[in-house]
Structure formats: C-alpha cells, structure tokens
Amino acid sequence: MAERKLLILFGSQTGTAQDTAERIGREAKRRHFQCRVEALDSYDVANLINELLVVFVCATTGQGDPPDNMKMFWRFLFRKNLPPSSLCQMDYAVLGLGDSSYPKFNFVAKKLHKRVLQLGGNPLLPVALGDDQHDLGPDAVVDPWLLDLWDKILALYPLPPGLEIISPDVRLPPKYTLHYLAEDSSRSDGGLLQPTAPRAVPSELHPFAARMVSNQRVTAESHFQDVRLIEFDVTGSGITFSAGDVVMIQPQNSPEDVQQFCQLLRLDPDRHFVLKPSEPGTALPALLPQPCTIRHLVTHYLDISCVPRRSFFELLSSFSPNELEREKLQEFSSAQGQEELYSYCNRPRRTTLEALWDFPHTTCAIPPEYLLDLIPRIRPRAFSIASSMLAHPNRIQILMAVVQYKTRLSKPRRGLCSTWLASLNPQYEDVRVPLWVKKGGMKFPADPDTTVIMIGPGTGVAPFRAAIQERVAQGRRGNCLFFGCRQKSKDFYCQLEWEELVTKGFLMLFTAFSRDQEEKVYVQHRIRENRKLVWELLSCRNAHIYLAGNAKQMPAAVAEALQSVLQSEGGLSLSKAEEYFTALERSQRFQSETWS
C-alpha cells in the first residue's frame, strides 16, 4: 500500500495561512497521515520532485506579491530551465487566502496552481480562493473546500485497515513538551536582544538591538491622533537601506498584560523551563532562548493581544472542565458558529487575553505545554523608513500613528507595537528596540534627472520624506509632493522641513487640509487643480508617480484624478486614459504602497 505521507507548505505574512496550514495538518493527523507543515522557504525545494501529495496554502500580499517566507521558493519555481515533467508524480491542491478589495486578489495562489500544473502536477481540486472581505472571512470558502479535499485524498489513500478517523473529542498531543527546571538551577534569562554576531546582517532571526534616540509627538496635543517621529541609532549594525525600504520592528506585550495573563493561568512568571519537540524533526521555536522564563515567553513570544482565531477556541474547548464554557467554545469552533464568533471576536476586536477572561474555568485548566499550540507568536510590524542615510547617517526614523480606537467594548483598542513604542522614553533610560530592514515595494528612479511626483496623505508621506532627503542630498531638484492632512495647525507633519526645501528650490509642495474650510479638500482635488503641471511633468519630463497611504477610498480617488488629468490635458478618451495609466503601472512609472 502507498505510504500515507502528506506535505503542507505555506506562505504566510500575517499568520492566517500558517494557521490554516496547521489546521489541515491536525486534520491529516486525525486521518492517520504522516504529516509535515513547513514554511515554503524552510523547505528544501530540491526534494519537491519526490513528493507525492502536497497541499499549498498561500497568502497574497500588497500588490500581488508572494509573502516573505516563500520568496526563494517562488524564484526557484519560475526558473525557465525546469523540465515540464518535473512534478509529474505529484498530486496537489492550492488554497489561497486573499482580500478581494485589492486588485490582484489571490494572485499568488492562482499563479502557483497554474505553474505546478505546467510542471506536470495533478490537481486534486480547483484552486480555493479564500476572501477576507466575506462576512465569515476565508473560512466560508475553506470549510467546504477541505471537505472535498479529504474525500479526494482518502479515495487515493484509504485509512489503514482497522483504523478510524480520530474523533474531534480526542485532543492531539502538543507540538512541544514543557519541562520546568528545579528552582535552584535557574539561569539568567537570555533575552531577545542578545548582541548580533559580528558581520551578520540583522534579520528576523537575528534582530539588532537599536537604541531609541528620540520619540517626538508631531501632532498638536489637541489633535485626536497621536503621531510620533521616532529615531533609532543603528551604528555598528551593518544595516544599509535606500528610500522606499521598510524597517521591521519586533514588539512586546505590556508588563500589565503579562502579569494578568500569568495570574489568569496561575503561572509563576519567574519559573524556568526548557522545551522538547514531541515528534522528531520538529524544530524548536527560533526566537525563544533555552532555558527560558515564563515571563520571557509571554512578554516576547505569545501574541496575547491578537484577536483569537477559530483554532484557538477549538483547542481551548478540549481543556474545559466546565460544561457551559465548553459548549460555548465548541459553538465558536464549529462551522455553524462562525457568525457568532465574528460578532464576539472580530467585530469588536476582542483580544486573546480578554477572551481568556470570559472563560475562567477553562483558562486555569490550560496545560502550559499547549500554550505554543494555542497562541500564535508575536509578528513583527513593518514601517516605511522616513529618513535617508545621506541626511542622517547611522539613523533610522519612522513616522508612526499610535493606533487607538473604540469598539463596543468599554476599553479602547490599542495597537500592540505603536502603543509599546509610544510608551518608551529615551530621555530617562537606555531604550533598545529589536529591528531589521527589508527591501520595500517602491523603487525610486536611478536617473538623477527624472522628476518624481509623490502623493502621500497622512503618514503615507513617510517614504517620500526618505526619498526627498536622499534626492536633495544628491542635488536633485525635480521633486513634487502632494500632502494631505486634516488641519494645517494640528497634523502638518514636517512642515518646517518642507517649507525650507520649497524656499531653496528643491521641492514643489501642494497641500490639502481637509478640515480647514467648509467643504473637504483632499489630495485628489489638488491633483485636478494642478492638472496642467501634472500633465507637463508626465508628458515632457517623463515623471514617475508614487502613492502611499491608507487603502480605503484614497487610492481609487487618486487614480481617478490622474485619469481625469490624462483626459482633460492629454486629450485622451476614457478608455485611452485607462490604457495610458495601466502602461504607467507596467513600466513602474506609477507605483503605490497602501495599507488597510
């Protein structure tokens, strides 16, 4: 009988694809498969030709790009010299996770499915296109697709004689076992911030402990939003970057939340432990020192402030000694209970810690070794770098809005990373922040004479501040910035800097202060008002256009304004204007980086 081995490979940016891949892995174990779940870039791609059964789970990021942890795999898979029969013995399925509000919805999954087919793979099912915009999220597509998938897989690899599918009531073993050390053998707790090995370029596995130099509020005290300009010293890190690049910051939980969590679960924060994998071949979590304290685990690793996923409630229900709590948890983890789970968790943005408060009998029964199965790790956060090394050597600056908003819950919701960074005061103590740099999606022109039109409302101006500083340091004058905010007196970031550059002839500046007059004025209105100039820069000066900021209505409104310029000044019909605009995107003369 054929060996019952299943490989699940994921490409994940925010953790959803990883969570889904691990769910499929658990379902495989219940069906007695030997199963491995790996990030695409951790997998040795040379072995792919030997795999017989593979499920790919992949997200699509930003502008149709693959997630960071599948980029090497992606490059390999699209090599021209791969023979068309490379994967002819593989049965496969592709599950995509995307967001239909972006133009390149599930682009990576569709392209992957097509490429594996080109290389001879045999698809078990059509590609599944999970959608964040659906009322029930991606599960609306994932649930029925998985039922079909298991039917197909079990037809090829039936259950071994005498074995049944393991019931959902039976809890699977944890990924790691946790062994407390004797009190007297405690060692010093190796932190996240061990100095980077010399000459190693900082990365997610080896972040650089950058000193925070300043943390300055750049909005008026009376303004509703707290926005910071924060500077880090990266001397000696080996970090280099150019305009458009991104700094990744690894945040941590607040001491109050850590203390609450430990009290709820009756954990001693100062106990030391080591982890051992339950199955041979499972790697230990890369960012946890061994041995480690409970406090370090909860502060730096467990994401207790994230909105919990369905898999959290599924595992939690298996620990519950209380019938009422167990019934509610089982409902939240069932396909029928997803609407209720959405209104309990996602709509009000309830955190994992708050959910644990609501199930006290269950929470104090959680075995510590299941913590790493139950709660995902804290993900790094990305910020556009807002400064240039040419203007500020050995420094990285970011422009950061402190995330805080109200939902129906009494406590305001706060962003983990921005709240933590805003709370740090480098005037009173030596503050260290783990960070590393990665290439951004925006590339600025190498030709010094190319004019650049930058459209950056709000904190979207951050990458353009880096680009303008870089270009001014190189003596380039063709810089045109459209900046928008609410009020000139309250949130006009870097006002003095821009005005000085205008005076010196380095910058053309157009501002839209939406609340400073009766009718609201946005950057798209200023583009239409200055249509003659915009057309002249595009048609005569070969200008490149860059757009950054919030992904709600702004990108579409700006694209529309630019197309109206092409029609009114360029004399193009609507369809020709759309074609021209698409050609600008294709040739990278129009680039955008937006976030939701």
Side-chain angles (χ1 to χ4, degrees), residues 288-327:
L288 275 184
Q290 290 263 51
C292 181
T293 61
I294 293 287
R295 188 189 311 280
H296 184 95
L297 172 73
V298 184
T299 303
H300 296 286
Y301 196 84
L302 298 180
D303 196 353
I304 58 176
S305 76
C306 71
V307 176
R309 303 175 193 274
R310 176 177 168 180
S311 56
F312 167 86
F313 294 98
E314 194 179 321
L315 183 54
L316 197 58
S317 71
S318 73
F319 307 131
S320 187
N322 176 285
E323 198 180 335
L324 254 168
E325 288 187 10
R326 187 167 58 251
E327 278 176 12

Side-chain angles (χ1 to χ4, degrees), residues 208-234:
F208 177 72
R211 183 174 65 85
M212 184 186 278
V213 179
S214 60
N215 184 350
Q216 174 198 351
R217 180 171 172 143
V218 289
T219 44
E221 288 297 332
S222 59
H223 189 57
F224 78 100
Q225 193 167 37
D226 179 355
V227 176
R228 303 295 177 97
L229 182 66
I230 300 178
E231 181 169 75
F232 302 101
D233 182 352
V234 292

Side-chain angles (χ1 to χ4, degrees), residues 392-505:
H392 301 278
N394 293 316
R395 295 283 198 263
I396 287 180
Q397 295 180 359
I398 61 171
L399 190 64
M400 176 194 82
V402 182
V403 177
Q404 183 179 337
Y405 55 95
K406 281 290 291 173
T407 65
R408 66 179 169 79
L409 301 178
S410 57
K411 229 175 126 180
R413 308 291 89 194
R414 297 176 189 278
L416 174 66
C417 190
S418 61
T419 303
W420 172 58
L421 288 175
S423 74
L424 302 173
N425 190 338
Q427 286 180 306
Y428 298 124
E429 55 188 330
D430 179 41
V431 174
R432 300 279 167 166
V433 172
L435 55 76
W436 63 98
V437 163
K438 64 173 213 186
K439 282 274 148 241
M442 286 199 289
K443 302 277 177 288
F444 289 89
D447 179 355
D449 298 326
T450 305
T451 298
V452 173
I453 300 170
M454 293 160 279
I455 305 156
T459 52
V461 80
F464 304 140
R465 183 171 179 261
I468 291 166
Q469 286 183 0
E470 193 169 282
R471 288 169 63 84
V472 168
Q474 295 164 332
R476 302 180 182 185
R477 288 181 179 269
N479 306 306
C480 173
L481 175 65
F482 286 86
F483 173 74
C485 65
R486 289 195 170 208
Q487 290 166 296
K488 184 176 182 177
S489 61
K490 292 192 172 172
D491 56 339
F492 187 3
Y493 315 134
C494 315
Q495 177 181 357
L496 298 176
E497 196 175 319
W498 303 138
E499 288 171 350
E500 188 185 336
L501 291 173
V502 170
T503 308
K504 290 179 174 172

Side-chain angles (χ1 to χ4, degrees), residues 30-99:
R30 292 190 184 280
R31 287 158 179 81
H32 304 280
F33 278 89
Q34 267 185 322
C35 178
R36 278 162 53 222
V37 180
E38 282 194 54
L40 278 150
D41 277 356
S42 312
Y43 173 74
D44 182 357
V45 74
N47 290 333
L48 204 60
I49 56 169
N50 305 316
E51 301 290 355
L52 301 180
L53 184 59
V54 184
V55 176
F56 298 94
V57 184
C58 49
T60 295
T61 68
Q63 318 300 315
D65 302 313
D68 290 343
N69 66 2
M70 69 176 279
K71 286 200 161 132
M72 292 179 322
F73 171 85
W74 198 243
R75 277 197 293 276
F76 177 87
L77 198 69
F78 285 92
R79 274 175 26 184
K80 298 274 189 291
N81 60 352
L82 295 180
S85 58
S86 309
L87 304 179
C88 62
Q89 55 174 348
M90 180 196 289
D91 289 310
Y92 75 98
V94 177
L95 166 52
L97 297 169
D99 182 325

Side-chain angles (χ1 to χ4, degrees), residues 109 124 129 131 139 180 248 260 334 408 416-417 422 435 542:
L124 294 169
L129 306 176
D131 185 7
D139 281 351
Y180 282 121
M248 304 299 293
Q260 258 190 34
S334 70
R408 66 179 169 79
L416 174 66
C417 190
L435 55 76
N542 196 33

